[in-house]
Amino acid sequence: MAHSPQPSTPSPCSPAQPFLLKAEQRPLHVAVCMKMTPDATDLTIDPVKKTLDRSKVKNIINPPDENAFELALQLKDRFGAQVSVVTMGPPFFDIMLRECISRGADRGVLITDRAFAGADTWPTSMTLAAGIKKISKQWGDVDIILFGEETTDASTGQVGPGVAGQLATEQATYIHSLEFDPASETVTATRSIGGGHEVLRLPLPVAVTCELKMNTPRIATLNGKLRGAAAQLVVWSLADLTDIRDPSWVGLKGSPTIVGKVDISSGFERTPVKVASASEAVEALRKRGSLLEVHA
Amino acid sequence: MPTQATAAPATLPRRKGAGRYDNVTFRACKPAESFADWKGVWVIVEHRDGKLRDVTLELLGAARPMADKLGQKVTAVILGHQVDAVAQQLARSGADTWPTSMTLAAGIKKISALYGDVDIICFGEETTDASTGQVGPGVAG
């Protein structure tokens, strides 16, 4: 994982003098999709119900989402991009949105409704995509959509690609650096791969999932905290997302995945068994049912 | 017996200009109502430098009993160029058939035509060479 690459080229732009897209004469618009997750260092599983015991756990911003958001703020610092943060979740996610505004986000959008509960990655992607479409209508088209690489609670890593699919944008996953080139209005994304890096140059709009620790998230200033505390958050329910025409498309009902079972993995004692020959070992394994028949 | 399927990749509508998301529409994810016509278990093969990746063998290990239980064939789908050596290894690893394809979507169409629709597709979580993790979700979409 590369450490926070400092921007290699100085930018003549700033939040006060933003870079304007040539065709539309407006600043870049970056949306960051974020959520809160149970603090993994503090997590227990109910031994009876076999579900995550969320009651006692502190919720934090999903760690790689912090990096995605920091990347958005760097695009704001360098190019005067406007930054919208969007989240789907329960009402208490507002503390995350206020924290983001404290650090420099222009707005926080909370998409919250009982109807969204129990969503798997398909309806989650659709709901966020519908939110980004609505954000684009109200505050200008979103050019760059940022995500953390995955959440610490479900670890699918599918929602970023899912939103890219729903909105038919370009996409780059697991990136550790992203540069915007104002001359060509493209982004250059660098991804770690086995044995090296892959560098992608992509036109806008683009959806990008960001690796954990790709940069060092900033902390809010005191002034920022006051701004965050006073900010008016945007709160949308299912009824506000008119593109989702049927409540059965979202939440548990709209989710094709059914989690059959979650198990606690606990270690067990292994006892070594000595055998005289390889054929005896094979026979012992076969008796235990540990060997599949070999198909020649 | 590897067969080669080639077709132009489908082009996505590019979102350009003002109001680029205006025409985006959404729909419910509807699982098939009946699986009666569905056949087979697929494994999307990952390989590097002419060698199978371990994850593919693990998936074939999972696919084999699954297919046996369903009375179906395991199809290992190889993507890439000059993959004959990989196909040879697959023959010894529990795959019944191993068509190769240059593009995945085209491959799925072609193979569906050859062997019928597919029940279960097994993907590794991501490839070690590209690490996109987006092909599985992409095909599911």
Side-chain angles (χ1 to χ4, degrees):
Chain A
M1 231 168 295
H3 199 262
S4 175
Q6 277 303 305
S8 50
T9 47
S11 165
C13 310
S14 69
Q17 283 192 314
F19 162 79
L20 300 176
L21 289 164
K22 268 187 265 349
E24 297 172 60
Q25 289 299 301
R26 61 166 178 87
L28 278 175
H29 188 175
V30 181
V32 194
C33 299
M34 300 174 66
K35 72 174 275 194
M36 298 186 82
T37 52
D39 188 348
T41 56
D42 194 25
L43 192 63
T44 51
I45 292 179
D46 186 319
V48 181
K49 286 189 282 184
K50 304 268 174 82
T51 53
L52 294 180
D53 185 356
R54 291 171 190 260
S55 60
K56 301 185 196 93
V57 173
K58 193 177 72 182
N59 283 285
I60 57 169
I61 298 176
N62 181 46
D65 295 3
E66 294 245 24
N67 301 106
F69 179 56
E70 174 59 29
L71 176 58
L73 293 178
Q74 289 175 5
L75 289 165
K76 178 171 185 165
D77 293 343
R78 298 188 64 218
F79 301 104
Q82 63 162 327
V83 175
S84 302
V85 176
V86 57
T87 187
M88 181 189 89
F92 76 81
F93 278 16
D94 65 343
I95 53 172
M96 172 181 72
L97 296 176
R98 290 194 189 283
E99 172 65 23
C100 291
I101 292 170
S102 301
R103 292 188 207 173
D106 292 284
R107 69 189 59 84
V109 178
L110 173 61
I111 301 175
T112 188
D113 199 307
R114 293 296 303 170
F116 297 129
D120 72 7
T121 58
W122 174 288
T124 301
S125 303
M126 178 169 65
T127 305
L128 288 170
I132 288 165
K133 183 176 172 184
K134 192 171 167 83
I135 287 169
S136 296
K137 271 233 171 74
Q138 299 212 351
W139 295 285
D141 284 349
V142 172
D143 303 295
I144 299 173
I145 311 168
L146 301 179
F147 302 83
E149 56 181 327
E150 59 184 37
T151 57
T152 51
D153 57 349
S155 292
T156 67
Q158 293 174 355
V159 171
V163 171
Q166 297 273 355
L167 296 174
T169 69
E170 304 293 332
Q171 62 175 313
T173 50
Y174 303 98
I175 65 116
H176 60 72
S177 95
L178 185 92
E179 290 275 339
F180 174 71
D181 173 36
S184 61
E185 298 187 357
T186 57
V187 296
T188 303
T190 310
R191 333 171 48 237
S192 316
I193 57 171
H197 301 295
E198 184 177 62
V199 181
L200 304 171
R201 200 159 118 204
L202 302 159
L204 305 175
V206 63
V208 173
T209 74
C210 302
E211 264 187 358
L212 182 65
K213 296 184 180 166
M214 68 172 284
N215 52 30
T216 310
R218 70 192 64 185
I219 54 171
T221 61
L222 184 57
N223 265 341
K225 288 198 173 191
L226 294 171
R227 192 171 60 239
Q232 189 75 39
L233 300 179
V234 180
V235 182
W236 288 337
S237 67
L238 175 61
D240 293 306
L241 300 180
T242 47
D243 284 297
I244 299 176
R245 298 195 311 275
D246 192 317
S248 73
W249 294 5
V250 296
L252 192 61
K253 274 190 185 156
S255 300
T257 315
I258 297 157
V259 177
K261 191 166 92 162
V262 177
D263 265 347
I264 307 168
S265 96
S266 44
F268 56 90
E269 288 295 310
R270 291 178 168 83
T271 40
V273 178
K274 274 198 176 164
V275 289
S277 66
S279 53
E280 263 181 56
V282 169
E283 198 45 46
L285 285 170
R286 197 189 293 278
K287 273 194 187 134
R288 280 193 48 188
S290 303
L291 269 192
L292 291 173
E293 293 303 317
V294 175
H295 293 254
Chain B
M1 72 122 218
T3 55
Q4 198 94 2
T6 50
T11 50
L12 284 171
R14 281 277 163 75
R15 306 287 177 198
K16 276 199 193 308
R20 60 164 70 114
Y21 302 115
D22 286 356
N23 298 327
V24 175
T25 55
F26 303 103
R27 64 183 171 86
C29 179
K30 279 253 163 36
E33 281 174 18
S34 159
F35 294 94
D37 299 337
W38 292 39
K39 290 192 211 75
V41 176
W42 279 15
V43 172
I44 308 297
V45 175
E46 293 180 21
H47 55 93
R48 188 180 172 88
D49 300 330
K51 290 204 183 76
L52 282 178
R53 304 295 294 179
D54 286 350
V55 65
T56 301
L57 296 174
E58 288 165 21
L59 289 171
L60 285 168
R64 184 74 262 164
M66 219 187 259
D68 287 345
K69 198 174 157 192
L70 296 166
Q72 296 294 336
K73 283 186 171 174
V74 174
T75 301
V77 183
I78 314 168
L79 303 169
H81 180 57
Q82 295 178 348
V83 290
D84 287 357
V86 179
Q88 295 310 314
Q89 293 169 64
L90 284 167
R92 299 191 295 269
S93 310
D96 297 309
T97 54
W98 47 91
T100 62
S101 169
M102 298 299 280
T103 65
L104 192 49
I108 286 179
K109 267 197 191 148
K110 175 102 177 173
I111 300 160
S112 292
L114 281 173
Y115 302 108
D117 285 344
V118 179
D119 271 331
I120 298 162
I121 307 182
C122 307
F123 291 93
E125 61 174 340
E126 58 188 45
T127 56
T128 47
D129 55 346
S131 282
T132 66
Q134 63 201 25
V135 175
V139 171

